[in-house]
Amino acid sequence: MSNTTMDSAAAPGELVRERLVLLAGGTSAAGRACARALVAAGARVVVVGSHAGRLRESGENAPGAATELCDLTDPVAVIALRERVHAAHGPVDGIVHLVGGWRGGGGLAGQSDEDFDVLLRSFTALRHVSRVFDDDLGSSDVGRLAIVSSTAVVRPLAGGANYAAVKAASEAWTRAVAQGYSKAARDAGRRVTAAGVVFRVKSLDGLEEALASAVVALWDDDATAWNDTVIEISAGG
């Protein structure tokens, strides 16, 4: 695994043009920024969310992007989502996992099961989406799976233990996906064409556009340059 740092001035690329990118949990401010940047770069975008009102607003915020209502923590619903996306748009070339949220505080004693269950939804959604669309990404000549993680993984605090644990699990899962891409290519005697990438931030507030630029740039180089990498995004570089 390698580590890279990107600052908020990262220039968006253009090689994502015509690629189909699914924004899982894309109704947040970060999701809207990613949708706008991808559409502007010529990508075909599907924004997936579980709240109809926010999903409608996200579609209006990024004209040209399609929207899909889906509970990504429900494996049956995710399979149905894949069938709808395939029927309307074809197989996907990229998934950006943006299902997240924060709950914490109160030291270790304050790390409740209720808070953990809420945070765990992000990891559950990642597992479902990456498995259901695995064939799409593995078959694409430019498959990309990206998640947004946290610097809390590097220095977990007692008051954020639940959060850090879920983010660490998500990173481990994404790295396992990345290893699967490498193994599949090696077994088939071909080059790696898909990549699993971790974006790491302290906080996304104010860095939504930087994240969007970094997402677009994932198609600027071969998968071997991106697979199993951690990219740190910060305002100061």
Side-chain angles (χ1 to χ4, degrees):
M1 178 180 64
S2 61
N3 288 269
T4 304
T5 299
M6 297 188 70
D7 62 31
S8 57
E14 297 180 352
L15 301 183
V16 71
R17 185 173 301 277
E18 295 302 322
R19 302 300 183 179
L20 181 62
V21 182
L22 189 148
L23 301 179
T27 60
S28 64
R32 292 194 296 272
C34 288
R36 290 193 302 270
L38 286 163
V39 169
R44 296 178 296 135
V45 178
V46 178
V47 180
V48 182
S50 59
H51 187 282
R54 289 195 296 269
L55 188 61
R56 182 174 57 255
E57 292 172 0
S58 295
E60 294 169 351
N61 186 260
T67 58
E68 284 285 349
L69 187 66
C70 182
D71 177 2
L72 297 175
T73 67
D74 180 343
V76 175
V78 177
I79 292 172
L81 170 68
R82 178 188 61 194
E83 299 311 308
R84 294 196 303 273
V85 170
H86 282 182
H89 311 286
V92 304
D93 299 293
I95 294 174
V96 182
H97 180 73
L98 298 165
V99 180
W102 159 258
R103 288 199 178 190
L108 199 63
Q111 302 302 289
S112 71
D113 288 347
E114 178 186 1
D115 285 349
F116 181 77
D117 288 343
V118 171
L119 294 168
L120 188 61
R121 291 175 61 85
S122 173
F123 181 46
T124 300
L126 171 63
R127 290 171 48 245
H128 292 164
V129 172
S130 60
R131 283 202 309 256
V132 168
F133 287 94
D134 186 55
D135 285 345
D136 283 19
L137 299 183
S139 299
S140 172
D141 59 343
V142 288
R144 301 290 186 270
L145 170 67
I147 70 166
V148 178
S149 185
S150 170
T151 54
V153 171
V154 180
R155 188 173 183 272
L157 304 177
N162 279 337
Y163 179 76
V166 169
K167 288 298 187 183
S170 297
E171 288 199 13
W173 183 273
T174 303
R175 293 192 63 198
V177 173
Q179 189 276 335
Y181 293 151
S182 295
K183 183 178 186 302
R186 183 172 63 252
D187 292 348
R190 58 172 176 79
R191 66 184 180 89
V192 177
T193 58
V197 179
V198 173
F199 291 118
R200 220 183 252 167
V201 298
K202 182 176 182 180
S203 170
L204 264 178
D205 290 344
L207 293 179
E208 294 88 353
E209 299 298 333
L211 172 66
S213 294
V215 165
V216 172
L218 286 176
W219 282 265
D220 275 1
D221 209 339
D222 290 340
T224 52
W226 296 113
N227 198 33
D228 199 15
T229 60
V230 172
I231 300 172
E232 296 182 4
I233 302 175
S234 64

